[in-house]
């Protein structure tokens, strides 16, 4: 393929398909392509892509959205061409172009994703396999493609996707006339090895085969002369080189390589790896050895040395030849290292790598004659002003070493820089497309002069014209020859072919290549009128399977890859990779495919032609898998569909801005005085600590009656010097007049504003708003609306009669209206009576100032006044903190600039008002009593009375109200959530509001309780319920599929989505309570609320938004499940899950299985029953539970994976439930730690070994056998007294843990899904179970927690060498002390655990506080 390089000033926006700069033969080809299917056969560089672009322009009217739904598809053979051709189409058309290649993940796209692409784009540029798969799965239908373009269409042969597209779809649909216009492009319609010029018929047969397959006729020019008017043709020259004769150095080195390989093969055979792994490593050793030998034979010692150095570099991925474990990597690296040492010993001392010593280098066999000839040939072109040379080689290794050799030799004399470029499938240094494009750009700009390339530049990247092309290795076929020659496009360019002296056959082949173009043109033109013949379908092509409902099809050729792809998606582990086993009986011409035990189809047997037996068996297997539902109607593995659905859920956008609900019981949104009957609740406050200020009981008044468990509650609050208990109980109905409600609202608003804000101006602003709202009560606004009153105000079912006086409404209104006398602005009068005292309010009776609340405007403080200090006045002495003594009058003059006019008045005894605190916060209690607050002496004339009477005790009592009401509000919110949920449950159950409150309280709230324990319990039950449901209802699904289905239901993303649908985020208590942000009831200055209907019968109020992480929403959902489960049992918990949208029910469904042989012949059932203390009704469950995936026998249709899936969930829930039930009040987080220490692979594996269950596992893995033996030996040599905890420093095979879970699953199924039977049977194996006293944290977690708590710096360094993992942990204390430990183990997880234990020990020894 060639690029389109032409300078265009401006795109022509007209309806014509023809472009103004098109050449005559391009227009001629376009006209033919518009009339019929056409293959354009023109030289590289002749502008074939431009013809395709013009053809697309001519079909644009049939493609433009939204009027049309048709598409054009442009196929390119390599990924690198996708972007290149797409950009050309975008440049010259207005069509919407989409680009597609494998790395985009298109293999896992579903119909909806493809439909979106088809809706958005008019031309789709892609590699052919993508289209073939999309057609096979009916994601794209052929009748929707108007134009189908094949770039480099000579590839359409055999089973190439080009050929399969035409055979499997185009030709089968031709009779409908609903097929696209075909347009092919090639520089050679033949991709065969050279033919003799006399074999014109052979040329025509190959051309005709392509025409018939493509259902297209070839268009070409009459001769090269026409093209020569537009593009130059290079001069072809043969460059002869002398073949090297074998020498002693070469033979000696090759023998050494063989000996080194034999040495390392011997090492591999002693590695105790599985046979397949051994074969893989040995194969790679052989391949690497052959690479070194090739370099020695063909390129010389220098090349072999460079390869060894490249292999040793960190950038080289020599393991991309196939997957290798750590031991395999180590072996390959060791072999390469030995080869490098061996080769280096034969490097001539003082060897000068330069062109001046080329002869010496050649004589010493440092380079081969062929390389020497190449260097000398290039040096002859050093007179060229601007060299652009491409050297084509066959192997990537050749390209790499030639780059190094040429760059070193020619940069010295000619200043030429060489780079290599090759495909990224190499086992050497892979080049990304970005890197390849960079190299090409450097070549284009002259920074690079020589490109050493593989076939990637024959039909690949867009490279500008060159003046020299060298074929270092001969072309593989005619097409390769023509395409590489076409790269030399500059005038007077040369095409140099390196030919071995005396090789007449190669010279003849070169001449035939040169004349092949003329022969192909002649044959194409002479048969131009011969119509295309129908494609001859072989028996192989005629057999396929089509899904009637969708039209999806799988053919014999595609069936093999589909079966292997399906098996690759089955569950696997480190001991078994699932794949079908194929057995062919040539005598009976029968092929049997046996599938892994997790496959719903166990085996398939077919008879037929032995040449296609395996394909026939695979096709039959595809059919059976589809019938079982394992392949969907689009013939895609079921697990792929589930993964797509899961990815769709994960891609859903979650909005962290969530509502914050307020319970309706605390909100007023109707007419303020709609009712005179209210519900009162007595709040009794009891101190268990000494304080010089008592607390009083309080009355709460609501418009509606509270839920029973909220209206009668008890809880404790921790204050710094003790505890305070709060008891709330219903006190009955109370009648209040409008005026009484107004006065109570003013009273509580003022008191709470003072306590919350400590700001006189904010108090005034708030009271103004309150009075203003009372005047405009016709426009109700939703707000917090309830009353908080001192208990002594309540008398029977009403308030005391002198309420107005004791609430001092006059003072409040004076504060708002500012009507009090201002003595600073006028001469102050004398007291009228002896008991009157002058204040900022004017003269007041002495009694008013006893137990009142005042503000001192000179400093803005608010004080609580308890009485007068008789005997102290303004002339009394004041001792200051600096030791000075002044009169109060002097102090206020100097400090505040205030002159006391009534200095003889007795001073007042005051104290600053209490500050609100979060008494719900969990904190350590202090042993000593804190001061309740220091008193101050205040001149009355500086005081503005805000409220009177109001005692210090009342203010102290009200300072606890915000914390108490926050708890009440939270409980009311919980009660509302319960009511909303239980409304949909037919069963009448009681769920305590305190339990739901625990479930909706996050750890961030920093209270005594939070959701973690309930979340752990709910998580285990959710997993248990869902896994049980999936196990029963999807009996033919393997464990991998069940796991994905489970994740789709119970993943954090899924639970968050369900929670949001039920508006649970609004109920979550997400942050620690801050009294400064507490909403004062009745205060108009605080936030308004918006009514929100949760259901047809329930409403809440939205108080704004806050950010909540999606994980927290999922945690709350799990905790709510735990709350329902712990409070009311499994059925209410299931009904809550159903309300959420998780449909689960515990019905007993028959587990259908069929094991044709007697289970007792396979497993010692009696011994297993003895170990488990359980007698199986169906012993075949034991066989299934003990069969590993590697044990593939026809008589055992299933392995343990499904039972393990079920048993894992059952055991997890049983142990979690047991631990929770032992102490439901355990501290949050402890249950998580207990569960983590009890439910883990290490615990289960130790239990399995101790019970001897490892002896009964059915498997066929050599590695598993050896690892289990090592694990048993380690256990026998250990002194572990229990199976829980993290003491063990041995890595146990997961299979040992799996069988504990699978046996639990087997008992669960056999007992009719009775989990208690499972617990009674498995618990003795796990004894003794962990307790809070015996709990030990995972060392890794403990170390991380310790570092976070004490702000220690931790760093990690991981390495893998010689088959083991190594990790170094380093912790640095604040004082600079370093604790460091390195550990090696069989895997990184174990190494990290052991290293963490060592660091912890060191830290604890060095610092007792840690």
């Amino acid at each position: 393929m060639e690029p389109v390089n032409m300078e265009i000033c401006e795109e022509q926006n007209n309806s014509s398909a023809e472009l103004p700069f098109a050449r005559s033969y391009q227009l001629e080809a376009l006209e033919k392509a518009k009339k019929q299917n056409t293959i354009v056969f023109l030289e590289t560089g002749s502008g074939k892509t431009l013809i395709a672009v013009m053809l697309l322009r001519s079909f644009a009217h049939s493609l433009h959205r939204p009027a049309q739904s048709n598409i054009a598809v442009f196929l390119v053979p390599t990924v690198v061409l996708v972007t290149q051709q797409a950009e050309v189409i975008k440049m010259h058309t207005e069509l919407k172009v989409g680009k597609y290649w494998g790395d985009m993940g298109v293999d896992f796209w579903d119909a909806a994703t493809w439909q979106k692409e088809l809706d958005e784009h008019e031309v789709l540029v892609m590699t052919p396999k993508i289209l073939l798969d999309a057609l096979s799965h009916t994601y794209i239908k052929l009748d929707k493609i108007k134009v189908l373009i094949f770039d480099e269409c000579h590839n359409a042969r055999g089973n190439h996707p080009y050929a399969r597209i035409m055979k499997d779809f185009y030709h089968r649909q031709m009779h409908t006339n609903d097929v696209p216009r075909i347009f092919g492009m090639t520089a050679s319609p033949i991709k065969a090895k050279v033919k003799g010029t006399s074999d014109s018929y052979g040329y025509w047969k190959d051309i005709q085969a392509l025409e018939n397959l493509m259902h297209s006729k070839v268009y070409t020019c009459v001769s090269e002369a026409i093209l020569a008017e537009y593009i130059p043709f290079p001069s072809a020259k043969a460059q002869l080189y002398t073949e090297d004769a074998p020498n002693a150095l070469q033979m000696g080195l090759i023998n050494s390589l063989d000996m080194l390989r034999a040495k390392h093969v011997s090492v591999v055979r002693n590695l105790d790896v599985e046979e397949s792994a051994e074969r893989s490593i040995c194969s790679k050793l052989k391949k690497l050895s052959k690479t070194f030998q090739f370099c020695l034979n063909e390129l010389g010692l220098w090349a072999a040395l460079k390869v060894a150095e490249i292999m040793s570099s960190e950038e080289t991925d020599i393991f991309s030849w196939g997957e290798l474990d750590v031991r395999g990597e180590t072996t390959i690296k060791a072999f390469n290292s030995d080869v490098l040492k061996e080769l280096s010993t034969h490097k001539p001392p003082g060897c000068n790598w330069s062109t001046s010593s080329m002869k010496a280098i050649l004589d010493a066999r440092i380079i081969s004659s062929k390389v020497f000839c190449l260097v000398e040939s290039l040096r002859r072109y050093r007179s060229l002003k601007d060299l652009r040379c491409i050297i084509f080689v066959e192997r990537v290794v050749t390209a790499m070493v030639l780059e190094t050799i040429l760059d070193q030799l020619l940069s010295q004399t000619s200043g030429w820089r060489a780079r290599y470029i090759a495909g990224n499938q190499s086992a050497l240094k892979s080049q990304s497309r970005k890197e390849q494009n960079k190299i090409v750009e450097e070549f284009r700009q002259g920074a690079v002069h020589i490109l050493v390339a593989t076939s990637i530049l024959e039909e690949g990247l867009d490279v500008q014209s060159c003046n020299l092309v060298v074929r270092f290795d001969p072309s593989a076929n005619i097409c390769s020859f023509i395409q590489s020659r076409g790269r030399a496009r500059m005038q007077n360019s040369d095409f140099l072919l390196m030919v071995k002296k005396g090789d007449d056959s190669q010279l003849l082949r070169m001449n035939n290549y040169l004349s092949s173009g003329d022969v192909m043109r002649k044959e194409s033109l002479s048969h131009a009128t011969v119509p295309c013949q129908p494609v001859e379908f072989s028996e192989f092509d005629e057999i396929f399977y089509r899904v009637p409902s969708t039209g999806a099809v799988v053919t014999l050729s595609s069936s093999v890859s589909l079966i292997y792809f399906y098996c690759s998606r089955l569950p696997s582990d480190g001991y078994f990779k699932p794949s079908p086993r194929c057995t062919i009986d040539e005598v009976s011409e029968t092929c049997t495919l046996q599938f892994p035990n997790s496959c719903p189809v166990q085996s398939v047997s077919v008879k037929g032609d032995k040449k296609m037996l395996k394909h026939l068996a695979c096709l039959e297997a595809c059919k059976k898998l589809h019938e079982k539902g394992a392949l969907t109607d689009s013939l895609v593995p079921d697990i792929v569909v589930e993964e797509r659905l899961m990815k769709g859920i994960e891609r859903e956008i979650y909005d962290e801005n969530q509502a914050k609900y307020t319970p309706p019981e605390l909100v007023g949104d109707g007419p303020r005085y709609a009712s005179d009957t209210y519900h009162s609740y007595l709040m009794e406050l009891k101190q268990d600590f000494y304080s010089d200020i008592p607390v009083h009981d309080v009355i709460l008044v609501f418009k509606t009656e509270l839920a029973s468990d909220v209206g009668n509650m008890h809880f404790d609050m921790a204050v710094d010097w003790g505890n305070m208990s709060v008891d709330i109980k219903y006190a009955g109905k109370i009648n209040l007049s409008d005026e009484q409600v107004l006065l109570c609202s003013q009273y509580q608003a003022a008191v709470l504003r003072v306590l919350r804000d400590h700001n006189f101006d904010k108090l005034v602003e708030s009271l103004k708003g309150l009075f203003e709202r009372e005047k405009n009560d016709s426009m109700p606004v939703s707000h917090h609306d309830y009353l908080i009153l001192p208990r002594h105000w309540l008398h029977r079912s009403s308030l005391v009669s002198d309420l107005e006086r004791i609430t001092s409404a006059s003072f409040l209104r004076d504060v708002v209206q500012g009507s009090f006398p201002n003595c600073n602005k006028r001469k102050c009068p004398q007291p009228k009576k002896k008991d009157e005292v002058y204040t900022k309010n004017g003269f007041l009776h002495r009694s008013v100032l006893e137990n009142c609340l005042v503000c001192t405007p000179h400093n803005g403080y608010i004080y609580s006044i308890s009485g007068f200090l008789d005997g102290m006045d303004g002339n009394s002495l004041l001792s200051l903190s600096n030791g000075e003594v002044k009169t109060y009058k002097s102090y206020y003059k100097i400090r505040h600039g205030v002159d006391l006019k009534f200095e003889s008045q007795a001073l007042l005894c005051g104290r600053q008002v209490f500050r609100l605190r979060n008494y719900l916060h969990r904190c350590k209690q202090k042993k000593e009593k804190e001061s309740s607050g220091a008193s101050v002496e205040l001149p009355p004339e500086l005081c503005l009375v805000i409220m009177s009477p109001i005692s210090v005790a009342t203010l102290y009592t009200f300072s606890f109200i915000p914390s108490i009401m926050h708890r009440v509000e939270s409980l009311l919110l919980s009660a509302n959530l319960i009511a909303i949920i239980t409304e949909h449950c037919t069963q009448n159950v009681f769920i305590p509001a305190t339990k739901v409150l625990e479930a909706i309280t996050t750890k961030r709230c920093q209270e005594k309780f939070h959701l973690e324990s309930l979340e752990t319990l709910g998580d285990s039950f959710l997993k248990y319920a869902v896994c049980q449901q999936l196990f029963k209802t999807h009996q033919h699904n393997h464990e991998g599929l069940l796991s994905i289905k489970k994740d789709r239901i119970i993943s954090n993303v899924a639970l968050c989505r369900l929670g949001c649908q039920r508006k649970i985020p609004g109920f979550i208590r997400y942050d620690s309570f801050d009294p400064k942000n507490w909403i004062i009831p009745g205060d108009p200055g605080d936030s308004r609320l918006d009514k929100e209907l949760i259901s047809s019968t329930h409403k809440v109020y939205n108080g704004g938004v806050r950010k909540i992480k999606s994980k927290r929403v999922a945690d709350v959902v799990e905790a709510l499940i735990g709350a329902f489960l712990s409070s009311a049992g499994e059925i209410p918990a299931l009904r809550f899950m159903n309300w959420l949208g998780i449909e689960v029910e515990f019905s007993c469904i028959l587990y259908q299985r069929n094991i044709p042989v007697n289970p007792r012949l396979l497993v010692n059932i009696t011994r297993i029953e003895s170990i488990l203390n359980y007698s199986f009704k169906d012993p075949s469950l034991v066989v299934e539970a003990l069969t590993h995936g590697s044990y593939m026998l026809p008589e055992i249709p299933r392995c343990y994976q499904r039972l393990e899936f079920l048993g894992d969930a059952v055991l997890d829930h049983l142990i979690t439930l047991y631990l929770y039930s032992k102490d439901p009040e355990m501290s949050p987080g402890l249950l998580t730690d207990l569960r983590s220490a009890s439910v883990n692979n290490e615990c289960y594996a130790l239990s399995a070994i101790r019970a001897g269950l490892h002896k009964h596992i059915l498997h066929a893995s050599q590695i598993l056998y050896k690892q289990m033996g090592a694990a048993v030996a380690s256990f026998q040599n250990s002194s572990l007294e229990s199976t829980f905890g993290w003491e063990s420093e041995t890595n146990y095979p997961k299979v040992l843990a799996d069988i504990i879970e699978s046996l639990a699953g087997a008992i669960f199924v056999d007992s009719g899904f009775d989990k208690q039977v499972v617990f009674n049977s498995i618990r003795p194996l796990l004894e003794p179970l962990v307790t809070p006293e015996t709990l030990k944290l995972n060392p890794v977690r403990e170390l991380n927690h310790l570092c976070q708590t004490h702000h220690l710096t931790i760093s990690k360094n991981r390495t893998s060498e010689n088959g083991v993992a190594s990790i170094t942990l380093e912790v640095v204390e604040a004082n600079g002390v370093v604790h460091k430990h390195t550990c090696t183990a069989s895997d990184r997880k174990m190494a990290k655990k052991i290293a963490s234990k060592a660091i912890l020990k060191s830290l604890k020894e060095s610092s007792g506080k840690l």
Side-chain angles (χ1 to χ4, degrees), residues 512-529:
N512 287 334
Y513 279 151
L514 289 169
S515 60
S516 61
D518 290 333
V519 177
M520 289 187 291
R521 268 188 294 274
K522 176 182 175 184
E523 292 302 316
S524 298
L525 292 169
S526 64
H527 294 89
T529 58

Side-chain angles (χ1 to χ4, degrees), residues 132 142 150 156-174 209 212-214 535-542 544 546 555 557:
L132 179 60
L142 194 67
F150 293 82
R157 46 188 280 169
N159 276 322
H160 190 278
Y162 278 178
R164 296 260 53 98
I165 290 168
M166 294 303 296
K167 274 192 174 184
D168 297 344
F169 295 95
Y170 183 91
H171 286 283
R172 296 188 191 283
Q173 201 169 318
M174 272 179 54
N212 293 341
L213 179 62
M214 299 294 294
V535 171
E536 295 182 3
F537 286 97
S538 65
E539 184 181 358
F540 191 92
D541 295 318
E542 289 294 332
F544 58 89
R546 187 184 299 276
T555 64
S557 61

